[in-house]
């Protein structure tokens, strides 16, 4: 089955800096790659996603890149703000969704 | 999109008993899943709830311990049986409206076994 690895497990940045989270997946048939943000005590919420026929997607301060050949994808957050502090999960989907271990992002004011 | 109502939001149960968690969606969805999340940890897929047939369980999860029902396209239940303290966790229902699209989550059920 699909195996998703995510790095780093924790990330601390200064407000205004960029944050990058990286994931790899094992199943070449996976074709949908969402990123979720989970704030303490809340449910995961989708922040951005990318499909296998696209290499990059951007939504304001958030961007995701996908390298299908290498089977890795990354989340980029620019101009980070304290409210970006949360746990972020990547996922790879081929009929069911498998999540990475999560990255706890802390943005220091 | 999909709006999910998951009940109960939390419960404290005695060891040896069972807890049934309900997941109700406001529209028909293609797929329903059950996840377990230890505090501060990732989401571990327990099983895919199949409408009208037995659920598909992931390695390490068995039907006797985690029986699942899905009588229609909008409702599913997960039972955690013969509870032990190791079952203390957050259980989340998730749905996908159409294949390979966004997953929506219920608010989770925080289970504590004493």
């Amino acid at each position: 089955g699909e195996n998703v690895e995510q790095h780093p497990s924790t990330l601390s940045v200064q407000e205004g800096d960029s944050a990058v989270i990286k994931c790899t997946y094992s199943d070449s048939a996976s074709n949908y790659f969402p990123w979720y943000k989970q704030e303490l005590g809340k449910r995961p919420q989708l922040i951005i996603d990318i499909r296998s026929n696209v290499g990059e997607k951007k939504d304001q301060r958030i961007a995701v890149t996908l390298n299908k050949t290498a089977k890795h994808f990354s989340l980029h957050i620019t101009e980070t703000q304290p409210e970006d502090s949360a746990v972020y999960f990547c996922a790879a989907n081929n009929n069911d969704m498998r999540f990475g271990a999560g990255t706890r992002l802390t943005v220091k004011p | 999109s999909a709006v999910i109502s998951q009940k109960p939001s939390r419960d404290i149960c005695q060891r040896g008993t069972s807890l049934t968690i309900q997941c109700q969606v406001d529209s028909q969805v293609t797929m329903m899943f059950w996840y377990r999340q230890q505090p501060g940890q990732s989401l571990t897929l327990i099983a895919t709830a199949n409408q009208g047939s037995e659920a598909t369980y992931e390695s390490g999860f068995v039907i006797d311990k985690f029986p699942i029902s899905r009588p229609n396209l909008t409702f599913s239940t997960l039972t955690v049986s013969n509870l032990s303290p190791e079952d203390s966790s957050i259980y989340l229902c998730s749905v996908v409206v159409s294949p390979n699209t966004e997953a929506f989550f219920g608010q989770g059920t925080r289970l504590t076994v004493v």
Side-chain angles (χ1 to χ4, degrees):
Chain A
E2 178 65 272
N3 181 44
V4 180
E5 295 192 358
Q6 182 173 347
H7 300 280
S9 56
T10 60
L11 180 59
S12 182
V13 299
Q14 286 294 136
E15 183 177 0
D17 288 351
S18 295
V20 180
I21 303 170
K22 298 183 179 183
C23 288
T24 61
Y25 62 99
S26 60
D27 186 355
S28 57
S30 291
N31 52 18
Y32 174 64
F33 307 91
W35 286 87
Y36 287 83
K37 176 183 180 182
Q38 187 176 31
E39 296 176 334
L40 189 62
K42 297 190 176 180
R43 72 191 82 185
Q45 299 271 11
L46 180 77
I47 56 170
I48 195 166
D49 56 12
I50 192 166
R51 299 187 182 281
S52 57
N53 58 346
V54 175
E56 185 173 355
K57 183 176 178 181
K58 190 172 181 182
D59 182 4
Q60 300 183 339
R61 296 185 297 110
I62 296 173
V64 58
T65 59
L66 171 66
N67 183 328
K68 261 203 95 177
T69 303
K71 288 190 272 187
H72 65 71
F73 56 114
S74 301
L75 176 71
H76 305 252
I77 306 175
T78 59
E79 301 171 30
T80 53
Q81 302 167 2
E83 50 266 37
D84 294 329
S85 296
V87 179
Y88 291 81
F89 294 100
C90 64
N93 190 76
N94 178 25
N95 294 318
D96 59 42
M97 200 162 297
R98 306 303 171 111
F99 288 84
T103 297
R104 182 174 300 278
L105 173 64
T106 303
V107 180
K108 294 185 262 188
Chain B
S1 68
V3 177
I4 303 170
S5 173
Q6 183 176 339
K7 298 178 187 178
S9 58
R10 59 178 63 230
D11 206 344
I12 301 172
C13 299
Q14 296 289 326
R15 64 179 70 199
T17 64
S18 299
L19 175 70
T20 295
I21 303 167
Q22 297 182 359
C23 179
Q24 177 73 56
V25 194
D26 68 340
S27 59
Q28 293 185 348
V29 295
T30 303
M31 306 184 84
M32 297 182 79
F33 305 96
W34 289 97
Y35 288 87
R36 184 171 70 186
Q37 185 177 35
Q38 303 283 3
Q41 302 296 315
S42 186
L43 298 113
T44 300
L45 181 63
I46 297 171
T48 301
N50 299 311
Q51 193 261 327
S53 64
E54 191 172 289
T56 304
Y57 290 85
E58 295 302 307
S59 176
F61 298 96
V62 296
I63 187 171
D64 289 347
K65 176 69 175 176
F66 299 97
I68 288 171
S69 78
R70 188 178 175 192
N72 55 52
L73 293 175
T74 64
F75 185 78
S76 178
T77 66
L78 167 72
T79 299
V80 189
S81 304
N82 190 23
L83 290 168
S84 68
E86 294 73 38
D87 296 320
S88 297
S89 190
I90 297 169
Y91 293 85
L92 290 132
C93 167
S94 175
V95 306
V96 173
V97 176
S98 55
N100 296 319
T101 61
E102 176 182 1
F104 298 91
F105 289 86
Q107 67 266 41
T109 296
R110 182 180 292 270
L111 169 62
T112 302
V113 183
V114 297

